[in-house]
């Protein structure tokens, strides 16, 4: 097969995927940038939409809320997922059953989980009934501006940790047993084994989980829309919900496009930083 | 391309003659084939089932497919589908105060060509105004609405409280009502009084109108918010106190409020006539109706306006959709059937007469509901602000009311809302 023919063959095979990427990813992205630069009823490009949202206290609060949410939810989910993966990697009785139990919430759609948790966390719901039964005070959960964001974190983590655990568990099982034997001969204790063997060997799956989880958490929408719609008092107004509100409630698609561009830029920036931080020293020297 | 056209291309001379005959025999090209009209709405399919069934029986070539979305998501669905040029939605429920905003955005097909027919069936100019924007008709007027005070007789009897009178002249003030509600709670009622749609502007606007605080929008085109005034704060505080003082329950969704009244947990309920179906069939519920209270020193005010039917300007089956809309709104039969499951006052004049006569038959059981409704519709009804900013205004206000009833600081909340509204409206001017 000549080089030209090989190129054609590759193009035919890649064509559908490339077309999908262009139609579903690249074109909408360009369209969002184009929309974001056109103020309502404007005919020329300008930064009016960006100035409008960046000076809007509601949008500022939404960015701030998203930042706090991300700083808590990502380390929390990864720490729990890693702890669960380590736990599930040891040989105990019924290990498959325990793994299934932890992975099960992943199989439930986010929206269904949100509805179930919404009922559970209602002021007169079963969670409060349990709290009272063990002698604690009733909590307001999703109706309190001080507890709503924490409740959302609880719900998305319940859904998410099992999923991320599976990647880390697969990574753990890939680590050669001989490495542990070698450091044990050198006299390493359990903590040292974890620090000098497990963590470095887990770098690749951890990088993936960190990046994918961060992106997923920036884009959380369904639980917020179903449970709080950004309330009470804007305390759960994560940026995706704010974009939705701008586009479909306030009827301001231009501002929504600007907010989308800002969101994508922030996510890209964070992901680039994460990749840099997680790359090994030997990769960086190259 | 219609079936007749398709056939004429395929066939020879005889085929062409046959096609010509077929085409002349069938009235409209869009009706020449099986058509499915997609109908988007927020209300229960049960409400429309009888009228859809009758329509399909009369028009065997048209099928109505109803797609329901939650009330809170209807705007987003209209924006996302009709706004993006989706032709698969033919007809949709348009809340009358949203007509200006929807028309301004180009989401409603103008209906000027049908003005004569619409005005013949719906002669009340107020009902026509409710579906117009800048003098142009944009939707088929379907229903109107009003509010009533429902009370649980057993709970009031147990407390030795006299039931409120049905005569509008003896209408209670809010202070008098709260006194009765508290007495009922002391005698065992779990809750005193509740507004059925706890956090929706539609039912709460009358509070602010009655206290003199106004609708919350002023200025040119009603695009300037005015919800942080002292009068607004005072009235909103009064509403917040109902929940703070335990007269009304917190954390409850509008869809769950009827159950409290039906289960005998609530002494007084402010609700529309559409709740009658469920209340009448509730076993062991003995209730009566009276006019809604007002603030002492203020005017009695009731909300009005209701659902109309709008046609998507880009609809694939525009003509069939109009045929359906006209059956529902312009024929007495269709109009009357449309309210058989949810008794809104129909705007169709003939159906309205039958509706009032039906209501009069309930008088021996629950009091002269027909007289109260006719009085309110004619004397105390105040529509929602007619502005292109209404959709944004209503949604933001509903969220604010939700925060207020759940315990947020009223003055702070209204100040934030004023700012948010100001910014949203500035994008429309």
């Amino acid at each position: 097969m000549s080089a030209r023919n090989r190129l054609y063959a590759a193009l035919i095979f890649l064509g559908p995927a490339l077309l999908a990427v262009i139609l579903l990813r690249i074109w909408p992205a360009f369209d969002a940038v184009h929309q974001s630069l056109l103020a309502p009823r404007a005919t020329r490009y300008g930064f009016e939409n960006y100035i409008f949202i960046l000076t809007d206290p509601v949008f500022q609060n939404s960015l701030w809320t998203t930042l706090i949410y991300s700083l808590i939810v990502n380390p929390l989910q990864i720490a729990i997922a890693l702890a669960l993966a380590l736990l599930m990697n040891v040989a105990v009785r019924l290990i498959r059953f325990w793994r299934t139990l932890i992975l099960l919430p992943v199989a439930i759609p986010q929206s269904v989980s949100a509805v179930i948790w919404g009922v559970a966390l209602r002021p007169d719901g079963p969670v409060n009934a349990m709290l009272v039964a063990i002698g604690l005070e009733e909590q307001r959960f999703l109706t309190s501006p001080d507890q709503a964001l924490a409740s959302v974190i609880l719900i998305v983590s319940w859904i998410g940790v099992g999923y991320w655990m599976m990647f880390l568990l697969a990574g753990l099982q890939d680590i050669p047993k001989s490495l542990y034997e070698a450091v044990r001969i050198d006299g390493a204790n359990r903590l040292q084994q974890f620090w000098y063997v497990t963590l470095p060997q887990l770098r690749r799956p951890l990088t993936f989980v960190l990046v994918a989880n961060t992106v997923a958490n920036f884009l959380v929408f369904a639980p917020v829309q179903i449970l709080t719609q950004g309330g009470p008092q804007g305390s759960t107004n994560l940026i995706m919900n704010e974009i939705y509100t701008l586009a479909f409630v306030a009827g301001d698609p231009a501002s929504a496009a600007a907010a989308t561009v800002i969101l994508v830029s922030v996510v890209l920036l964070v992901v680039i930083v994460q990749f840099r931080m997680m790359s090994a020293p030997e990769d960086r020297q190259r | 391309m219609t079936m007749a056209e398709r056939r004429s291309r395929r066939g020879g001379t005889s085929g062409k003659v046959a096609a010509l005959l077929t085409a002349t025999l069938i009235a409209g090209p869009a009706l020449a084939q099986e058509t499915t009209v997609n109908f988007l709405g927020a209300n229960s399919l049960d409400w429309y089932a009888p009228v859809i069934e009758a329509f399909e029986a009369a028009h065997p070539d048209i099928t109505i497919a109803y797609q329901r979305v939650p009330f809170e998501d209807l705007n987003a669905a209209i924006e996302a589908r009709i706004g993006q040029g989706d032709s698969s939605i033919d007809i949709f429920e348009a809340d009358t105060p949203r007509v200006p905003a929807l028309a301004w955005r180009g989401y409603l097909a103008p209906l000027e060509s049908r003005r004569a027919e619409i005005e013949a069936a719906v002669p009340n100019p107020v009902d026509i105004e409710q579906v117009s924007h800048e003098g142009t008709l944009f939707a088929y007027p379907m229903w109107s609405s009003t509010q009533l005070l429902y009370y649980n007789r057993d709970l009031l009897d147990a407390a030795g409280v006299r039931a409120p009178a049905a005569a509008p002249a003896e209408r209670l003030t809010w202070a008098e009502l709260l006194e009765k509600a508290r007495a009922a709670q002391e005698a065992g009622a779990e809750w005193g009084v509740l507004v059925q749609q706890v956090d929706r502007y539609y039912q709460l606007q009358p509070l602010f109108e009655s206290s003199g605080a106004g609708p919350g929008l002023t200025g040119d085109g009603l695009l300037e918010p005015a919800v942080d005034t002292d009068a607004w704060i005072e009235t909103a505080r009064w509403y917040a106190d109902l929940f703070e003082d335990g007269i009304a329950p917190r954390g409850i969704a509008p869809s769950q409020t009827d159950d409290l009244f039906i289960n005998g947990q609530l002494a007084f309920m402010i609700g529309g006539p559409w709740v009658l179906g469920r209340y009448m069939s509730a076993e062991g519920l003995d209730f009566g109706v009276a006019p809604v209270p007002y603030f002492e020193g203020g005017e009695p005010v009731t909300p009005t306006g209701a659902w109309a039917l709008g046609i998507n300007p880009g609809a694939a089956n525009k003509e069939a959709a109009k045929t359906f809309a006209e059956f529902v709104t312009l024929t007495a039969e269709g109009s009357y059937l449309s309210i058989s499951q949810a008794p809104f006052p129909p705007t169709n004049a003939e159906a309205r007469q039958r509706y009032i006569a039906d209501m009069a038959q309930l008088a021996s059981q629950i009091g002269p509901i027909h007289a109260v409704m006719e009085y309110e519709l004619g004397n105390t009804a105040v529509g929602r602000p007619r502005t292109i900013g209404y959709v944004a205004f209503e949604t933001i206000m509903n969220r604010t009311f939700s925060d207020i009833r759940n315990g947020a600081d009223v003055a702070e909340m209204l100040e934030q809302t004023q700012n948010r509204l100001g910014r949203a409206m500035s994008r429309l001017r």
Side-chain angles (χ1 to χ4, degrees):
Chain A
M1 201 187 266
S2 71
R4 174 174 291 218
N5 281 349
R6 276 216 299 276
L7 183 72
Y8 284 146
L11 269 182
I12 289 168
F13 281 108
L14 285 175
L18 282 175
L19 197 71
V21 167
I22 291 168
L23 271 180
L24 301 174
R25 299 275 167 184
I26 297 175
W27 180 73
F30 274 104
D31 190 52
V33 174
H34 163 76
Q35 299 285 342
S36 75
L37 292 169
L38 279 174
R41 296 172 293 284
T43 48
R44 262 199 246 158
Y45 285 137
F47 289 100
E48 203 186 301
N49 295 324
Y50 289 94
I51 295 166
F52 175 74
I53 56 169
L54 289 172
T55 55
D56 183 356
V58 177
F59 186 77
Q60 289 167 0
N61 173 59
S62 165
L63 273 179
W64 184 239
T65 307
T66 310
L67 189 73
I68 294 171
Y69 167 82
S70 297
L71 284 176
I72 298 172
V73 79
N74 292 316
L76 182 81
Q77 286 188 352
I78 292 169
I80 297 174
L82 182 59
L84 283 173
L86 290 168
L87 207 63
M88 293 297 124
N89 196 34
V90 290
V92 290
R93 278 162 59 92
L94 300 173
I95 187 68
R96 281 170 194 280
F97 170 74
W98 299 120
R99 281 181 194 161
T100 312
L101 206 65
I102 291 171
L103 192 67
L104 212 55
V106 180
I108 304 169
Q110 263 203 352
S111 49
V112 177
S113 304
V115 171
I116 295 169
W117 276 98
V119 174
L121 294 178
R122 245 167 54 174
D124 58 348
V127 174
N128 263 336
M130 268 179 1
L131 289 181
V132 172
I134 57 170
L136 294 172
E137 264 187 46
E138 281 191 6
Q139 299 297 317
R140 289 178 55 195
F141 298 117
L142 293 162
T143 59
S144 151
D146 302 323
Q147 296 178 358
L149 190 63
S151 305
V152 170
I153 289 175
L154 172 86
I155 295 166
V156 296
S157 300
W158 180 79
I159 301 167
V161 289
Y163 183 68
W164 303 119
M165 178 202 78
M166 289 312 283
F167 293 97
L168 298 177
L169 188 58
L172 282 178
Q173 292 180 342
D174 268 352
I175 303 175
K177 296 275 179 290
S178 56
L179 288 177
Y180 289 102
E181 283 161 17
V183 289
R184 269 204 294 271
I185 292 168
D186 289 345
N189 61 24
R190 285 239 161 190
L191 193 67
Q192 285 168 325
Q193 286 176 34
F194 173 74
W195 194 254
Y196 293 110
V197 178
T198 312
L199 265 190
Q201 290 294 317
L202 263 186
R203 206 183 60 240
R204 282 181 199 285
L206 257 181
T207 308
F208 168 75
V209 167
L210 182 66
V211 170
N213 191 23
T214 306
V215 174
N217 280 319
F218 265 112
L219 303 183
V220 158
F221 175 67
V224 174
Q225 169 64 15
I226 291 168
L227 294 170
T228 63
Q229 283 155 31
Q233 296 166 58
S235 61
T236 60
N237 193 19
L238 297 178
I239 191 160
M240 279 296 285
N241 188 64
E242 177 60 16
I243 292 173
Y244 172 88
T245 307
L246 284 170
F248 298 122
V249 174
D252 188 355
S255 292
T260 308
V261 172
I262 290 176
L263 169 64
V264 173
S265 313
V266 170
V267 173
L268 267 181
L269 194 75
V270 170
V271 167
I272 290 170
V273 170
Q274 284 178 339
F275 268 120
R276 296 224 146 199
M277 281 168 59
M278 295 297 284
S279 63
E282 60 269 24
D283 294 341
R284 257 175 266 159
Q285 277 157 11
R286 252 183 268 151
Chain B
M1 192 195 291
T2 65
M3 224 171 357
E5 283 168 332
R6 232 178 278 144
R7 254 187 260 126
S8 72
R9 298 233 173 137
R10 214 190 303 132
T13 320
S14 61
K16 277 180 188 157
V17 174
L20 199 69
L21 272 173
T22 323
T24 43
L25 280 173
I26 296 168
L31 303 182
Q33 52 191 315
E34 273 287 317
T35 308
T36 298
V37 168
N38 291 307
F39 178 13
L40 176 72
N43 288 313
S44 166
L45 172 60
D46 295 347
W47 292 8
Y48 288 113
V51 69
I52 289 177
E53 201 180 310
F55 175 78
E56 287 176 345
H59 300 80
D61 50 344
I62 303 177
T63 309
I64 306 296
Y66 186 64
Q67 300 179 17
R68 186 188 186 187
V69 292
F71 173 81
E72 287 78 8
D73 296 335
L74 183 62
N75 267 324
I78 290 172
E79 191 80 42
R81 298 189 63 179
I82 295 171
Q84 299 299 314
D86 183 348
S87 65
S88 71
I89 295 297
D90 299 299
I91 178 169
F92 61 98
E93 284 184 334
D95 202 1
T96 49
R98 292 179 182 179
V99 166
L102 292 170
W104 182 68
R105 275 167 217 261
Y107 300 168
L108 287 169
L111 300 171
E112 272 309 303
S113 61
R114 308 296 294 152
R115 182 178 277 278
E117 288 80 358
I118 294 172
E119 284 183 343
V122 182
N124 184 347
V126 177
D127 292 331
I128 298 294
E129 172 59 28
Q130 290 284 311
V131 290
S132 303
H133 174 56
E134 293 180 341
T136 303
L137 268 172
F138 275 101
Y140 289 99
M142 181 164 63
W143 304 327
S144 184
S145 76
T146 188
Q147 294 289 301
L148 300 151
L149 172 66
Y150 295 86
Y151 56 89
N152 182 315
R153 283 210 181 92
D154 294 332
L155 292 178
L156 296 193
D157 285 349
V161 170
R162 201 166 71 90
E170 292 172 60
R171 186 190 301 268
L172 295 179
T173 64
W174 278 108
E176 288 166 343
L177 180 85
L178 291 194
E179 203 179 301
K180 286 178 190 286
R182 283 199 194 92
Q185 276 184 291
E186 274 164 29
E190 199 173 336
W191 304 106
V193 60
L194 193 61
V195 172
Q196 189 211 19
Q197 300 175 0
V198 267
D199 45 20
R200 292 196 190 145
Y201 181 77
Y202 165 73
Q203 271 201 320
L204 300 177
Q205 182 195 357
L207 293 177
F208 295 87
E209 299 278 4
S210 178
S211 73
L217 283 173
T218 60
D220 197 18
L222 292 177
L223 287 171
E224 280 170 36
V227 298
D228 61 347
T229 61
D230 289 345
W232 255 82
I233 293 170
E234 197 189 323
T235 311
R237 242 187 217 134
W238 177 90
Y239 188 61
D241 285 346
L242 294 183
F243 299 88
E244 187 67 39
D245 299 344
I247 297 172
R250 277 200 173 131
I252 190 163
S255 56
Q256 300 163 341
T257 52
D258 280 335
D259 294 320
L260 292 180
F261 191 74
I262 288 170
N263 296 339
Q265 294 166 281
L266 176 66
F268 293 100
M269 170 72 118
I270 311 285
W274 53 86
V275 301
L276 273 174
R278 282 195 72 198
Y279 289 7
M280 295 293 290
S281 57
E283 222 164 285
L285 176 67
D286 186 8
F287 71 97
V289 294
V292 292
Y294 69 110
F295 282 110
E296 197 170 359
E299 294 288 316
V301 174
T302 51
T304 191
W307 296 98
L309 294 179
I311 306 289
N312 175 7
N317 304 302
K318 224 173 181 174
E319 288 311 313
K322 281 186 185 173
T323 310
F324 174 64
E326 293 186 5
F327 180 78
V328 179
T329 60
L330 306 188
T331 70
E333 181 205 357
S335 176
Y336 186 71
L337 277 173
S338 78
I339 50 108
S340 61
Q341 300 303 308
F344 281 85
T347 50
N348 182 292
E350 214 180 314
R352 173 77 73 92
Q353 280 178 359
R354 285 169 71 183
Y355 171 82
I356 293 293
D358 286 351
M359 286 289 161
Q361 289 186 348
L362 301 177
S364 61
Q365 233 177 313
I366 61 171
I369 181 169
H370 59 295
V372 177
M373 280 175 59
E374 280 209 293
Y375 181 84
E376 304 287 40
L377 281 164
N379 297 286
T380 63
V382 171
R384 284 158 281 177
R386 299 195 65 73
T387 159
I388 57 170
Y390 183 76
V391 175
F393 173 74
E394 183 194 63
T395 317
I396 292 169
M397 289 312 297
N398 291 357
R399 288 184 184 178
T400 299
F401 287 131
S402 176
D403 283 340
I404 284 177
R405 78 179 162 106
N406 282 324
D409 182 89
V410 171
E412 205 177 291
M413 211 51 237
L414 287 177
E415 194 193 313
Q416 278 175 24
T417 306
Q418 172 80 6
N419 290 336
R420 170 130 228 194
L421 286 171
R423 295 187 66 88
M425 297 292 169
S426 75
R427 304 286 282 180
L428 300 170
R429 277 197 289 263

